[in-house]
Amino acid sequence: MSDKSTIKLNGREYDFAPGETVLDVAARHDIYIPTLCHDPRLDAVGACRTCLVEIDGWRRLAPACATQLEPGMEIASENERIDRHRQTLLSLYMTDHPTDPAAAEPGAPNELHAMASHYEAPMDWGYMESLRDARPDDRNPYVLFEPDLCILCARCTRYCDEIEGVNAITLAGRASETTISTVDKLSLMDTSCELCGGCIDVCPTGAMGKKMPLVRGDKPERELDKVRTTCNFCGVGCQLDLNVDRDARDGQGRIVKVTSPPVGTTTNDGNLCVKGRFAYDFVHHEDRITTPLIRGEDGELHPASWDEALQAAASGLLAVKDKHGKDSLGFVSSSRCTMEENFLVQKMSRAVFGTNNVHQCAAT
Amino acid sequence: MTNSIGEIRDAEFLFVIGSNTSEAHPIIAMEMKRAVKAGATMVVADPRSIWMTSISEKHLQLRPGTDVWLLNAMANVIVTEGLVDQEFIDENTEDWEKVRESVLRYTPEEAEKVTGISADDIRWTARKYATTEKAGIYYTLGITEHSHGTDNVYCLANLVLMTGHLGKPSSGMNPLRGQNNVQGANDAGATPVFLPGYQRVDDPEVHARYEKSWGVELSPVPGLNLNEMMKTVGDDIKGLFIMGEDIIISEPNVTKLEKGMNNLDFVVTQEPFHNETTRYADVIFPAAVFAEKEGTFTNSERRVQRVRKGVEPPGEARADWEIVQALANACGAGWNYTNTADVYDELARDADKFAGISHERLETEMHEGKTGIQWPCPDPEHPGTEYLHENGILRGKGLFVPVEYRPSMELEDEDYGLLLSTGRTLYHYNAATQTRREQGLHMKQSDAFVEIHPRDARKRGVSHGDMVRVSTRRGDVECRAIVSRQVRPGCIWMPLHFGEARANVLTNDAGDPITGTAEYKVCAAEIVKVADRSETKSGELFPGSYYQIEGPGYNVAEAPYGALKVAEEALRQPLSPDKPET
Amino acid sequence: MSEDRRHEIQELLEKAGGLVPGAARQVAQQTGIPEADVYGVGSFYHLLARPDAKIRVCTGLSCRMAGADDVLRAAELNDLPVEGCTCLAGCDVAPAVLRDRRVLPSVTVEDVHEAKGEWENLRSAANADDEVWFGAVGPERDDPDTLVLNLMGDPDWSGTAFRRAVEIGADAVVEAIETAGLQGRGGAGFPAHIKWNGTRNQAETTRYVVLNADEGEPGTFKDREVMLRRPDRVLEGLAIAAHAIGATEVYLYLRGEFEVPWTVIEDGIERFAAAGVFGDIKFHLHAGHGAYICGEETALLEALEGKRGMPRLKPPFPVEKGLWGKPTLIHNVETIACVPAIVDRGGDWFKALGRDEAGTKLYCISGDVGRPGTYELPLGVTLDELVEAAGGYVGELKAFSPGGASSGFLPASMREVPLAFRSLGGVGSMLGSAGVVVLNSDADLRDAVMTQLRFFEAESCGQCAPCRIGTRYLAHALSKNIANDTTSGAALQHVADAAWQMNEGSICGLGQAAPLPLTLALEHFPEEFEA
């Protein structure tokens, strides 16, 4: 035992802070240890068993995610025993999991598949039909649970409990029949679920999938462009990734879905709410106004060219100014629009029309 | 916010007042839940039982509009029990004596009579707040949307200052911003008093500097705020330019406003969708939505973050900044911004707080794994400011302001026996032009509703799901009743989102004398039943809401909602069937 | 959100009639625990999750050998609300059947017909008055000098051993336990004094004692007999342990099928309380609700706390962080029942009673023997000695399972191996809970192995993949339900790899030991598995 807070991992010495786990230190030094049930936001449960490592003096392999470091520990994350462990574990997983990646939700990459092929785990052990119950009658519009793909890592149920805090879903049943359920197998609509979709986001295999691909396209996620932007709902400023199908709408692009940026990289820490994750139907909605409109003599709105509309608007506003004075104009800017747009509106109000009558709905 | 969202999870005490955090700011609520899970104590002060009260140590269910009494009584406890941070007060503040004296008459016992919160709970909360190091206050429109909103804010500030909960992590005074870019819109100068960066229009130095920078003459007289503008629409105001705001939904006392709108000479709007306000427009420009344009939003914690274009706008729609530039030029301005980065640069050039921020820097730092920059950020090397006032108060000394209680402008009486509050729900957003077009949100809440306590509902013969008429002195609307213990007896609550039952037909436009913010949170109202329960638009009757599942005093047998059908039916059967089903 | 009432979940669900629709929501109301959570907990425990089944026929190995399959089929044909279950701790009275929560001994097909389709009417002809019944025990004498448990002795409510423990002090008590060489008799054989010291030496002063009476290992029924016959020893042992480690709260977790032992223990608690023997030590009885895994100590703690009985990661061990995170001493019934005699007569006395290892041991024996039952014999007797005490072999010995389902099967040629922790460990098996099952030459070993594999498949908690998937995989492999590679060599290798993985990768002992029935049988009886 050395007195300093150091450990050895694969023969090299590393410092660690009290409370840190094997996985923490490995991650900091880019040493890859596979995980399926781990999420830095959640308490470690060590249930998926992919992260087992060997610790000198310990008879049994230990989960890297849940094993707190003690000074002097000597740890191996790569050796023959661990190789065999990973391979046989992943082979076993695959007897309980569709081998065809296309069976997964269009989009979400299947971490189990990727891991099994990374470790070249034999896939010829056979296949057993899943005994996990689904909830086929769940009428909720977003979350589709496909039990065949579920590996019971419980990221979703733990997220629902520990982060979202609504406890709408739970591990239910036992043994091979263990599944993800709601109370009395009710629809999510009839539970405490707030439809945040966090379960979808944390699922490593796509068992918790989105119900919407038919509406918004079915390209797999890897063929979509991810555009990082800021949510347009409340004032938290969540970062989100618009997953855009560039070819859709004759090359104008379509938002297929929204995903969270990785945990730990943004203010929202990988979390989104129901609006941030799902409320995008409005963007491509048929009710959008698509041309400038001018109200005619008949009192109705008529489509117009940009030039016509700009001229009409300019002369209308200037006429009010000329007739009633500059302070007879009011400029209502918008806290929904960008900083730049607000800047230009106030500048227009002040510099072009000469009035400080500019404000927006800014009650806080 | 004086502090950052990321600090919330480390807080040890959270005082949440006038904020339905899990619905209005779900992601901040997640951070609060995390703090509570890690052992923090949360106290929620709110007239309604909200989700957050289910994890709070105490729920101070005060009578609407009595915040000043509650907060002054907390200050009273802190003063009389010697819990003040005298060193912080001496070094950083002014006018302490005034507040110290003024709160003495706000005893917890007197406060109990006014607020309905027990003196013991007030004492407990005050002690816990004062004696916990990482103690933060979180509030939003429940504090500000009152005729005494500014008073409420001063009271909170007094508590923060007297306990020295400022300039430290996980503490401070944290208004949670309602809109995605409330902070940015104010920062950018879209206010009648301030040019960008909170520089007063009537400050001669500022005035001169901006006249020089922009090369035009500027008015040195502060303009009208929104509330004032709306009150004089059709009278003093004869023309309106409106960008992205449905004032007919979002402004109070709409009936009066609509009359004024009819008397306007000219109205220009820029909108992605038709709404209540576009009905008055002479010219409408088709606007892009956030996913179709570039720019920045600034969030509650002063973090400037990029908005990026993901898809092309439909048809001939254009980004608002392009439209404004084209309109200004049509009026003779001669602007020449090629992109939003240019606009930001000009903004930052004349406002020190943002001088170190640019689109270019935001882009570079995103690739380094950072997310936005928190102002103040005076130069390109400055890392941004996580929490304010770290080395003493930002502008000189923190000023204590004594506050005396003033009742809300309108209280319940014989004709209008209930107190109406308004607010938001998780499933919709503002005028709901976006959210009502989304299937799932529509399923959760397809119809306008008003929440009423079972006791008040019984008195009026109202059952869950019935159509009712809600009326105030300013107008009436029809919507569905949700019979729920989430509201206090004597109080009702409505969301503001629904065009067919505009809560703001009902609300009082009496404003706070300083900010002009209207009293959306308290007015006298009455309810009568107009029709029995009928099919809602989505066929769902507000399924699966948390308050129906575990509200205080909630009882399955009395469960008011359709979603409980399964459980209700199950309960009608004996729970231990003698014979198993076959 | 207060978790204060979480531990009541299972009890309240039972009162609500099990997990019928609406029950979870109702219990959520009562406890303040989220309804999905309540549902998840209830669904874990078979007695709660399947409220419709009023009759459960044990389909464990010994019961199947005694005709359980026929009884189950008869019950189905009679339209009784019946299902099979994995273990009722009644191998000595096979086939055992559960009616609601009462175990009926030696139920026959005729008994089932007699019920005439009404499950409430089901009786065992062997116990026609439906009274408290006892299993056979041996030696059939009251002999406190050579028998530690002395099952034939009269209960002693005087509290003499407890008073002596108080008199000599905690240090001396633990020293006696250490001298005695007492090992845990639940299956692991871990030295008891290390646990006692481990708990006593924690800085945290709130500590608990927990009794593991969730006896569910097929082949094992001794704890039932100890509680029925010597509740005094169990309670006094617990009180001594509590005193020694500085605890005042003692939790007793009895499997849900132990309706009768429950009442006996409850009476015992009242008797001691009436006499005021144990000072401020309080006993809390908790019922299990049908989950073998809760015999695993950390799963049991989870169950006590009102959670799904999924084992915890170790470390930390319960002595450090146990019940509600507090240091906890947890012992099997037999282990704790040894304590009063050790305190009374000294550690050396106890130690000398054993042969290979210390003390006497309760051996359960069932299957093809003359008088199945519970026998207290020196630790380390051979199979032949045990069977002799139990009325001799019926038929010719072919194989035996030395210590419950987890111990696998050994061939007749290993009948001389002492039935003790170390010696059985040495041959790749284990003494476990000493539930010995004897199979004669009529037995279908492949079927016997399958029974054990199905048992583990059904009783895996489902938390970790190696166990959840592995237990099922092995059962499938044995029944050739697996679409395997063409060559049998590859299939065998997959089984070997899966077994290796289960042992290396599983969180707890269930998954680690679950392959043994198959791997030991493949090793010792390869001919039984040829196609």
Side-chain angles (χ1 to χ4, degrees):
Chain A
M1 288 277 202
S2 71
D3 345 315
K4 273 204 313 177
S5 286
T6 62
I7 49 106
K8 273 189 178 170
L9 179 54
N10 299 332
R12 285 191 54 180
E13 202 165 85
Y14 299 99
D15 292 338
F16 73 94
E20 279 196 308
T21 63
V22 178
L23 192 63
D24 291 334
V25 169
R28 197 166 53 243
H29 297 284
D30 289 329
I31 297 163
Y32 174 63
I33 295 177
T35 61
L36 288 171
C37 69
H38 179 70
D39 183 309
R41 291 166 294 185
L42 305 175
D43 291 346
V45 291
C48 77
R49 314 306 284 167
T50 54
C51 74
L52 299 192
V53 293
E54 195 174 75
I55 300 175
D56 257 20
W58 292 33
R59 193 164 59 92
R60 297 215 153 265
L61 299 177
C65 66
T67 305
Q68 295 204 350
L69 294 167
E70 284 163 27
M73 266 187 180
E74 296 196 18
I75 302 150
S77 71
E78 300 291 338
N79 65 28
E80 217 172 295
R81 182 183 178 194
I82 292 166
D83 282 348
R84 186 175 179 199
H85 161 67
R86 287 174 185 162
Q87 282 201 334
T88 53
L89 175 64
L90 291 165
S91 290
L92 203 50
Y93 264 116
M94 294 307 294
T95 65
D96 187 43
H97 197 83
T99 41
D100 174 13
E105 185 226 2
N110 187 320
E111 291 176 31
L112 177 63
H113 277 189
M115 200 178 285
S117 66
H118 175 79
Y119 287 106
E120 297 174 356
M123 304 276 208
D124 60 347
W125 287 27
Y127 175 67
M128 302 180 289
E129 284 296 325
S130 155
L131 299 177
R132 295 178 282 277
D133 261 356
R135 279 172 287 114
D137 300 330
D138 190 337
R139 69 188 189 287
N140 92 77
Y142 298 138
V143 186
L144 178 70
F145 175 53
E146 296 190 76
D148 286 10
L149 289 165
C150 178
I151 57 167
L152 294 165
C153 67
R155 273 203 230 170
C156 58
T157 57
R158 289 180 290 138
Y159 183 89
C160 194
D161 171 15
E162 297 175 31
I163 303 297
E164 172 69 357
V166 299
N167 293 77
I169 51 174
T170 176
L171 285 176
R174 194 168 84 198
S176 309
E177 292 174 3
T178 312
T179 189
I180 309 296
S181 185
T182 57
V183 61
D184 291 343
K185 302 184 187 173
L186 296 177
S187 164
L188 282 176
M189 294 301 284
D190 297 329
T191 69
S192 51
C193 175
E194 294 183 349
L195 299 174
C196 76
C199 50
I200 298 173
D201 200 69
V202 296
C203 182
T205 59
M208 285 285 173
K210 287 194 169 105
K211 275 187 173 174
M212 302 177 301
L214 291 177
V215 186
R216 293 180 183 171
D218 51 8
K219 273 195 184 175
E221 196 169 304
R222 64 181 178 280
E223 290 175 27
L224 302 175
D225 269 6
K226 277 187 199 275
V227 180
R228 175 72 47 89
T229 191
T230 305
C231 180
N232 95 132
F233 291 107
C234 78
V236 175
C238 293
Q239 297 297 289
L240 45 84
D241 289 334
L242 303 173
N243 287 235
V244 175
D245 177 352
R246 281 273 166 249
D247 302 328
R249 292 172 66 231
D250 296 329
Q252 305 274 292
R254 177 190 302 283
I255 302 172
V256 175
K257 64 178 178 183
V258 165
T259 52
S260 320
V263 179
T265 60
T266 66
T267 305
N268 45 314
D269 202 13
N271 305 314
L272 286 173
C273 76
V274 58
K275 296 189 290 286
R277 196 183 303 281
F278 294 116
Y280 293 93
D281 280 354
F282 76 91
V283 175
H284 305 303
H285 201 278
E286 59 183 13
D287 293 351
R288 286 287 299 273
I289 305 173
T290 54
T291 66
L293 298 163
I294 299 176
R295 197 171 296 280
E297 304 273 308
D298 56 0
E300 298 295 317
L301 290 165
H302 300 280
S305 75
W306 272 99
D307 277 349
E308 289 163 357
L310 286 166
Q311 282 316 315
S315 52
L317 292 172
L318 290 170
V320 172
K321 181 185 168 192
D322 290 345
K323 190 168 166 198
H324 303 288
K326 56 189 185 175
D327 287 331
S328 66
L329 283 168
F331 290 81
V332 182
S333 191
S334 177
S335 50
R336 312 295 320 281
C337 291
T338 65
M339 179 108 173
E340 292 77 0
E341 287 158 349
N342 278 282
F343 176 80
L344 292 183
V345 169
Q346 62 89 32
K347 186 173 174 185
M348 175 167 75
S349 161
R350 289 175 166 131
V352 180
F353 292 93
T355 179
N356 283 317
N357 289 346
V358 56
H359 207 187
Q360 23 74 42
C361 174
T364 33
Chain B
M1 291 173 75
T2 58
N3 292 61
S4 295
I5 294 165
E7 295 168 33
I8 296 175
R9 67 181 67 167
D10 300 320
E12 293 160 350
F13 182 81
L14 303 101
F15 186 56
V16 178
I17 180 164
S19 158
N20 184 0
T21 324
S22 71
E23 297 211 52
H25 300 90
I27 302 301
I28 286 180
M30 285 185 189
E31 294 291 330
M32 292 178 173
K33 293 169 189 175
R34 221 153 142 165
V36 170
K37 189 164 171 280
T41 304
M42 178 180 331
V43 172
V44 175
D46 201 301
R48 285 167 86 212
S49 298
I50 53 176
W51 194 97
M52 300 311 278
T53 56
S54 72
I55 59 165
S56 64
E57 188 75 22
K58 283 193 194 299
H59 174 202
L60 311 181
Q61 198 166 10
L62 75 171
R63 274 177 54 83
T66 62
D67 311 72
V68 167
W69 260 103
L70 167 64
L71 300 172
N72 272 351
M74 283 173 62
N76 174 293
V77 173
I78 291 167
V79 169
T80 54
E81 299 192 2
L83 303 174
V84 297
D85 183 343
Q86 199 59 51
E87 197 179 323
F88 182 89
I89 294 171
D90 293 346
E91 284 177 18
N92 295 293
T93 68
E94 284 172 26
D95 288 352
W96 162 233
E97 280 307 312
K98 288 185 191 162
V99 165
R100 205 184 65 81
E101 277 162 32
S102 77
V103 299
L104 287 178
R105 80 173 186 86
Y106 290 84
T107 64
E109 278 68 23
E110 286 301 309
E112 177 173 338
K113 292 177 195 159
V114 182
T115 61
I117 302 167
S118 79
D120 284 349
D121 282 351
I122 295 174
R123 286 206 170 83
W124 186 91
T125 306
R127 286 176 194 144
K128 192 86 184 165
Y129 173 67
T131 56
T132 306
E133 193 188 330
K134 290 183 173 181
I137 292 175
Y138 306 87
Y139 68 95
T140 171
L141 304 170
I143 279 292
T144 51
E145 286 182 351
H146 289 278
S147 54
H148 47 266
T150 307
D151 292 350
N152 289 346
V153 174
Y154 281 140
C155 284
L156 290 172
N158 290 342
L159 285 172
V160 171
L161 292 176
M162 74 178 66
T163 54
H165 281 130
L166 199 64
K168 298 173 193 161
S170 309
S171 67
M173 167 109 169
N174 301 288
L176 311 177
R177 296 298 195 179
Q179 265 81 259
N180 52 320
N181 200 32
V182 172
Q183 185 73 52
N186 284 297
D187 295 350
T191 87
V193 191
F194 298 114
L195 282 151
Y198 306 95
Q199 309 181 75
R200 289 191 68 94
V201 294
D202 50 4
D203 177 328
E205 185 277 323
V206 172
H207 184 254
R209 190 149 45 78
Y210 270 89
E211 283 200 334
K212 189 174 167 217
S213 174
W214 291 351
V216 291
E217 241 177 70
L218 294 174
S219 162
V221 185
L224 300 176
N225 64 39
L226 189 61
N227 187 264
E228 291 164 339
M229 272 192 244
M230 293 303 114
K231 280 183 183 162
T232 180
V233 153
D235 297 329
D236 295 346
I237 295 289
K238 292 292 187 190
L240 275 180
F241 166 89
I242 306 165
M243 172 176 79
E245 195 129 356
D246 189 357
I247 55 175
I248 301 295
I249 288 266
S250 54
E251 294 308 306
N253 197 353
V254 171
T255 314
K256 188 175 142 211
L257 174 59
E258 285 188 303
K259 272 189 208 139
M261 292 293 287
N262 283 324
N263 291 331
L264 286 174
D265 285 5
F266 201 73
V267 179
V268 177
T269 67
Q270 301 182 182
E271 285 293 340
F273 290 99
H274 287 288
N275 58 28
E276 299 296 321
T277 306
T278 54
R279 291 193 285 118
Y280 298 90
D282 294 291
V283 176
I284 302 173
F285 293 115
V289 300
F290 85 111
E292 299 160 345
K293 62 189 181 187
E294 304 282 341
T296 60
F297 292 156
T298 303
N299 75 354
S300 289
E301 51 172 2
R302 299 163 279 103
R303 190 184 297 276
V304 182
Q305 304 187 110
R306 284 281 276 116
V307 175
R308 293 185 183 82
K309 182 174 180 170
V311 293
E312 293 296 330
E316 293 180 48
R318 293 185 192 172
D320 287 295
W321 72 269
E322 293 176 281
I323 304 173
V324 175
Q325 169 159 266
L327 179 58
N329 286 343
C331 298
W335 293 352
N336 188 21
Y337 304 101
T338 53
N339 54 41
T340 51
D342 284 357
V343 181
Y344 198 95
D345 288 345
E346 181 179 316
L347 186 165
R349 189 184 66 208
D350 295 324
D352 283 350
K353 285 186 174 62
F354 320 116
I357 306 175
S358 65
H359 282 210
E360 194 185 349
R361 181 173 168 192
L362 291 170
E363 210 63 32
T364 317
E365 294 197 351
M366 181 190 85
H367 294 294
E368 292 165 359
K370 294 180 199 161
T371 175
I373 299 168
Q374 286 170 282
W375 67 257
C377 177
D379 62 70
E381 306 306 317
H382 192 282
T385 307
E386 208 172 316
Y387 50 94
L388 299 176
H389 317 296
E390 185 174 3
N391 305 306
I393 306 286
L394 204 59
R395 293 183 216 97
K397 299 236 170 190
L399 194 64
F400 277 103
V401 181
V403 174
E404 298 295 341
Y405 172 70
R406 287 182 290 126
S408 302
M409 303 296 278
E410 194 179 88
L411 295 174
E412 67 270 46
D413 54 28
E414 274 182 15
D415 298 331
Y416 297 95
L418 299 165
L419 278 185
L420 168 70
S421 253
T422 64
R424 291 179 178 171
T425 78
L426 174 63
Y427 299 105
H428 288 295
Y429 192 76
N430 285 12
T433 40
Q434 299 178 352
T435 49
R436 288 190 86 184
R437 292 184 163 89
E438 174 58 46
Q439 185 195 0
L441 306 177
H442 179 67
M443 279 174 79
K444 276 284 188 185
Q445 287 174 354
S446 60
D447 292 31
F449 63 90
V450 59
E451 287 176 15
I452 180 167
H453 192 274
R455 196 191 301 170
D456 297 317
R458 257 197 304 277
K459 267 189 224 161
R460 291 162 176 79
V462 170
S463 305
H464 186 66
D466 286 352
M467 287 302 290
V468 294
R469 181 177 302 118
V470 187
S471 49
T472 68
R473 293 201 163 75
R474 288 154 294 280
D476 54 70
V477 301
E478 288 185 10
C479 62
R480 280 170 203 281
I482 288 187
V483 179
S484 163
R485 284 186 168 78
Q486 193 174 15
V487 284
R488 279 174 61 110
C491 294
I492 56 174
W493 186 91
M494 279 184 82
L496 56 86
H497 308 301
F498 297 92
E500 70 274 26
R502 286 169 290 163
N504 285 326
V505 166
L506 307 171
T507 48
N508 193 347
D509 59 350
D512 181 275
I514 295 176
T515 60
T517 301
E519 193 148 59
Y520 292 95
K521 295 301 182 196
V522 189
C523 71
E526 193 44 78
I527 281 187
V528 288
K529 175 172 170 172
V530 293
D532 283 339
R533 182 197 291 197
S534 55
E535 186 88 335
T536 62
K537 292 193 184 79
S538 65
E540 305 263 354
L541 197 59
F542 311 106
S545 299
Y546 61 85
Y547 49 85
Q548 292 157 331
I549 288 163
E550 49 177 342
Y554 162 79
N555 171 342
V556 175
E558 259 185 68
Y561 67 112
L564 261 185
K565 266 184 231 144
V566 177
E568 283 171 358
E569 277 158 20
L571 280 170
R572 269 182 229 112
Q573 298 163 356
L575 277 174
S576 301
D578 292 324
K579 282 229 162 212
E581 288 167 37
T582 43
Chain C
M1 246 176 290
S2 170
E3 291 272 300
D4 291 353
R5 298 192 63 190
R6 178 182 276 281
H7 65 281
E8 298 174 39
I9 287 178
Q10 294 103 313
E11 196 186 326
L12 290 170
L13 278 175
E14 187 189 346
K15 281 188 188 148
L19 207 58
V20 292
R25 194 158 262 184
Q26 185 189 43
V27 172
Q29 297 285 323
Q30 291 168 308
T31 57
I33 303 299
E35 54 185 19
D37 234 6
V38 172
Y39 181 81
V41 171
S43 68
F44 187 85
Y45 301 94
H46 282 178
L47 294 182
L48 298 174
R50 303 178 190 167
D52 292 349
K54 297 297 175 187
I55 301 291
R56 290 179 165 87
V57 178
C58 177
T59 55
L61 179 58
S62 300
C63 287
R64 288 191 66 212
M65 289 167 69
D69 292 351
D70 296 337
V71 173
L72 178 57
R73 202 171 311 118
E76 284 165 355
L77 290 173
N78 276 278
D79 281 338
L80 291 175
V82 69
E83 64 178 26
C85 68
T86 51
C87 168
L88 292 174
C91 320
D92 52 343
V93 290
V97 171
L98 189 70
R99 185 191 69 221
D100 205 8
R101 293 213 171 193
R102 173 171 289 223
V103 178
L104 309 180
S106 310
V107 175
T108 62
V109 172
E110 289 69 38
D111 293 339
V112 173
H113 292 313
E114 282 298 306
K116 304 202 188 307
E118 298 292 334
W119 68 266
E120 297 96 329
N121 293 343
L122 183 65
R123 298 284 181 280
S124 163
N127 181 31
D129 298 334
D130 216 12
E131 288 173 334
V132 174
W133 53 268
F134 295 88
V137 297
E140 288 182 278
R141 59 170 195 271
D142 175 6
D143 180 5
D145 295 329
T146 65
L147 299 175
V148 179
L149 283 307
N150 194 24
L151 294 175
M152 295 295 283
D154 288 331
D156 171 4
W157 306 104
S158 68
T160 316
F162 179 76
R163 265 193 296 276
R164 180 165 165 71
V166 174
E167 213 174 275
I168 62 175
D171 290 341
V173 169
V174 180
E175 206 180 297
I177 302 290
E178 183 171 1
T179 309
L182 178 64
Q183 293 159 282
R185 267 125 169 86
F190 192 77
H193 73 276
I194 297 183
K195 284 196 192 178
W196 290 47
N197 278 328
T199 320
R200 290 170 78 210
N201 296 337
Q202 296 296 322
E204 169 64 56
T205 54
T206 303
R207 300 163 192 166
Y208 300 112
V209 173
V210 173
L211 176 73
N212 182 347
D214 194 47
E215 182 170 56
E217 178 84 28
T220 311
F221 41 85
K222 62 187 175 64
D223 293 341
R224 180 200 77 204
E225 216 57 31
V226 175
M227 286 189 287
L228 284 175
R229 292 171 182 270
R230 298 308 304 264
D232 57 319
R233 291 288 171 94
V234 177
L235 294 170
E236 193 166 15
L238 289 168
I240 292 169
H243 178 260
I245 67 155
T248 56
E249 308 299 318
V250 178
Y251 291 83
L252 297 83
Y253 187 89
L254 274 61
R255 64 177 297 183
E257 297 85 344
F258 281 169
E259 190 181 75
V260 177
W262 174 288
T263 58
V264 174
I265 290 285
E266 216 170 25
D267 285 350
I269 293 171
E270 274 166 31
R271 284 186 91 129
F272 276 124
V277 181
F278 299 144
D280 56 355
I281 295 171
K282 285 191 284 296
F283 297 97
H284 309 271
L285 273 168
H286 276 255
H289 297 273
Y292 164 70
I293 188 58
C294 293
E296 199 281 343
E297 57 183 4
T298 58
L300 187 153
L301 296 176
E302 293 283 297
L304 270 182
E305 292 180 12
K307 300 174 183 163
R308 295 165 56 81
M310 304 195 299
R312 300 175 182 172
L313 301 174
K314 293 188 264 193
F317 291 91
V319 294
E320 189 189 335
K321 286 192 163 58
L323 191 59
W324 294 301
K326 305 294 185 193
T328 301
L329 177 67
I330 176 164
H331 270 310
N332 164 261
V333 173
E334 182 189 349
T335 319
I336 208 77
C338 290
V339 169
I342 293 173
V343 169
D344 252 349
R345 293 168 179 266
D348 291 323
W349 167 80
F350 178 88
K351 189 173 185 183
L353 294 174
R355 204 180 285 172
D356 276 29
E357 290 165 270
T360 60
K361 176 81 190 79
L362 293 180
Y363 290 96
C364 314
I365 185 155
S366 61
D368 297 322
V369 299
R371 186 173 176 266
T374 307
Y375 295 84
E376 181 171 2
L377 297 170
L379 181 48
V381 295
T382 63
L383 180 69
D384 288 345
E385 287 172 280
L386 171 60
V387 174
E388 193 189 329
Y393 291 104
V394 174
E396 188 195 335
L397 175 68
K398 174 178 178 179
F400 66 104
S401 177
S406 316
S407 65
F409 295 97
L410 295 176
S413 62
M414 295 176 93
R415 63 207 300 166
E416 295 303 320
V417 177
L419 299 174
F421 293 105
R422 268 198 305 271
S423 36
L424 283 168
V427 299
S429 178
M430 59 169 95
L431 177 63
S433 50
V436 183
V437 181
V438 172
L439 284 72
N440 68 21
S441 48
D442 294 342
D444 177 346
L445 201 72
R446 193 189 169 101
D447 187 58
V449 169
M450 193 58 158
T451 302
Q452 311 297 53
L453 293 180
R454 293 271 184 230
F455 168 76
F456 290 118
E457 184 190 348
E459 294 295 345
S460 166
C461 82
Q463 178 183 205
C464 71
C467 174
R468 180 183 69 245
I469 306 174
T471 51
R472 186 165 177 232
Y473 184 78
L474 293 187
H476 269 241
L478 185 58
S479 62
K480 297 219 187 277
N481 280 344
I482 281 278
N484 242 320
D485 224 10
T486 45
T487 64
S488 63
L492 279 177
Q493 185 57 46
H494 295 156
V495 166
D497 282 342
W500 183 90
Q501 167 55 227
M502 290 166 73
N503 182 34
E504 282 283 13
S506 295
I507 290 176
C508 80
L510 191 156
Q512 291 160 8
L516 268 186
L518 182 58
T519 52
L520 275 180
L522 285 170
E523 181 183 338
H524 296 298
F525 307 93
E527 67 285 355
E528 300 268 337
F529 297 89
E530 281 159 15

